[in-house]
Amino acid sequence: MFQLRSFLGYGEDIIIKPAIPEGLLSRMPILSYSQVVTLARENNPFTQNIQKRMLEASRDVSQAKADRWNATLFVSFGMSGQEDRFAQAFNSNNWRNNQVVNVGIKIPILDWGKSKGKVKIAEANREVENSKIEKEQIDFNQNVYLRVQNFNSQSKQLELAKETDIIAQQRYNTSIEAFVLGKIDVLNLNDSQSSKDEARRNYIEQMYLLWSYYYQIRSLTLYDFLGNKEISADYDKIVD
């Protein structure tokens, strides 16, 4: 309770009474891998990062090819003037008739294969990057698939845990009655109580795993499957 109150920002005067939610299984949908992976590709930053890296790799190749025929245009202009005072030397009336204007262009004719080598390196880097991207896409799809399978399977696990919890509670109630009547001893009663408590802990643990898998999928897709809507935020309202 201390840890939960600290996490929620409550004071010591707040008493927390946890309650197990009812009807959770009836609310949980059965997710489709195709739907989840489509939403993940549309809304997850992973897709934008992949596209950015592919464009950057292609850009480097195009830049290397363009640099092979890189021509430099240059223009230079010079003038001189004479006057007793420095500032007046730049007056147009004092310029001499020896102004010089040079216009030229530099075109690489022979670079001993250096530019061609840069293109090959850029193309090789692009191939390496594409291989990495392809592997990351496969890993991403597999990660989505496993999370969907875990979520769908966890609903069944929670249902079994709930049935086990109900049976253990009924057994414990029966054991109490039998103990009062003197039909069982304390050891059997304690065993029944331990089984009841273990079944309840397991039921809560399975419920935790179900929610954990669900919110992992939500974070990948930015989609609320319970409400059937995309997750969005009004940042202007949050700032205000």
Side-chain angles (χ1 to χ4, degrees):
M1 183 182 295
F2 290 153
Q3 293 177 356
L4 182 57
R5 281 194 305 211
S6 175
F7 178 77
L8 297 176
Y10 291 157
E12 297 182 358
D13 57 329
I14 301 297
I15 304 300
I16 300 175
K17 295 182 179 180
I20 297 178
E22 299 295 337
L24 178 61
L25 288 172
S26 61
R27 297 165 50 199
M28 288 297 176
I30 300 298
L31 300 182
S32 168
Y33 166 71
S34 59
Q35 178 191 13
V36 174
V37 75
T38 299
L39 291 170
R41 290 171 180 171
E42 292 176 354
N43 301 330
N44 196 278
F46 171 79
T47 303
Q48 285 72 26
N49 180 52
I50 289 296
Q51 294 174 350
K52 176 177 176 291
R53 289 164 56 188
M54 292 176 65
L55 290 174
E56 289 177 347
S58 298
R59 177 205 60 191
D60 293 341
V61 174
S62 300
Q63 185 65 47
K65 291 181 178 180
D67 290 342
R68 292 185 62 185
W69 310 107
N70 185 23
T72 303
L73 176 66
F74 65 90
V75 177
S76 62
F77 172 72
M79 64 179 184
S80 62
Q82 183 176 358
E83 179 60 36
D84 294 338
R85 289 174 297 178
F86 179 79
Q88 294 297 326
F90 293 93
N91 190 294
S92 59
N93 295 326
N94 298 321
W95 288 355
R96 295 182 177 180
N97 295 324
N98 59 351
Q99 286 82 14
V100 178
V101 178
N102 292 326
V103 179
I105 185 171
K106 295 181 180 179
I107 301 177
I109 298 177
L110 183 64
D111 63 354
W112 308 101
K114 181 179 179 180
S115 299
K116 186 177 181 180
K118 290 183 178 179
V119 173
K120 293 295 184 182
I121 291 175
E123 291 176 342
N125 291 336
R126 182 177 61 180
E127 292 298 325
V128 172
E129 190 66 23
N130 289 338
S131 298
K132 291 181 180 178
I133 289 174
E134 183 178 356
K135 180 181 182 301
E136 290 176 10
Q137 287 178 327
I138 293 174
D139 294 341
F140 180 78
N141 293 342
Q142 289 179 347
N143 182 38
V144 173
Y145 177 81
L146 290 175
R147 291 179 188 273
V148 171
Q149 293 299 315
N150 288 337
F151 174 78
N152 291 335
S153 300
Q154 191 59 35
S155 296
K156 299 177 181 179
Q157 293 294 328
L158 179 59
E159 184 176 1
L160 293 175
K162 182 178 180 180
E163 293 178 359
T164 303
D165 178 60
I166 294 174
I167 294 173
Q169 183 64 48
Q170 292 174 348
R171 179 196 172 197
Y172 176 68
N173 294 336
T174 303
S175 298
I176 292 178
E177 295 176 358
F179 178 76
V180 172
L181 297 175
K183 295 182 178 180
I184 62 173
D185 55 17
V186 175
L187 293 177
N188 290 327
L189 180 61
N190 290 338
D191 179 68
S192 177
Q193 182 177 4
S194 298
S195 299
K196 174 184 69 69
D197 295 341
E198 180 64 27
R200 178 54 57 90
R201 283 192 295 267
N202 180 63
Y203 177 48
I204 296 174
E205 176 70 17
Q206 298 304 320
M207 187 179 300
Y208 160 78
L209 291 175
L210 180 64
W211 279 117
S212 177
Y213 293 142
Y214 174 71
Y215 278 98
Q216 288 174 15
I217 295 175
R218 273 177 49 123
S219 66
L220 284 174
T221 60
L222 298 180
Y223 191 83
D224 181 6
F225 293 94
L226 293 179
N228 291 324
K229 60 182 180 180
E230 291 189 355
I231 300 174
S232 60
D234 187 351
Y235 293 102
D236 293 335
K237 184 177 179 181
I238 295 175
V239 172
D240 294 339

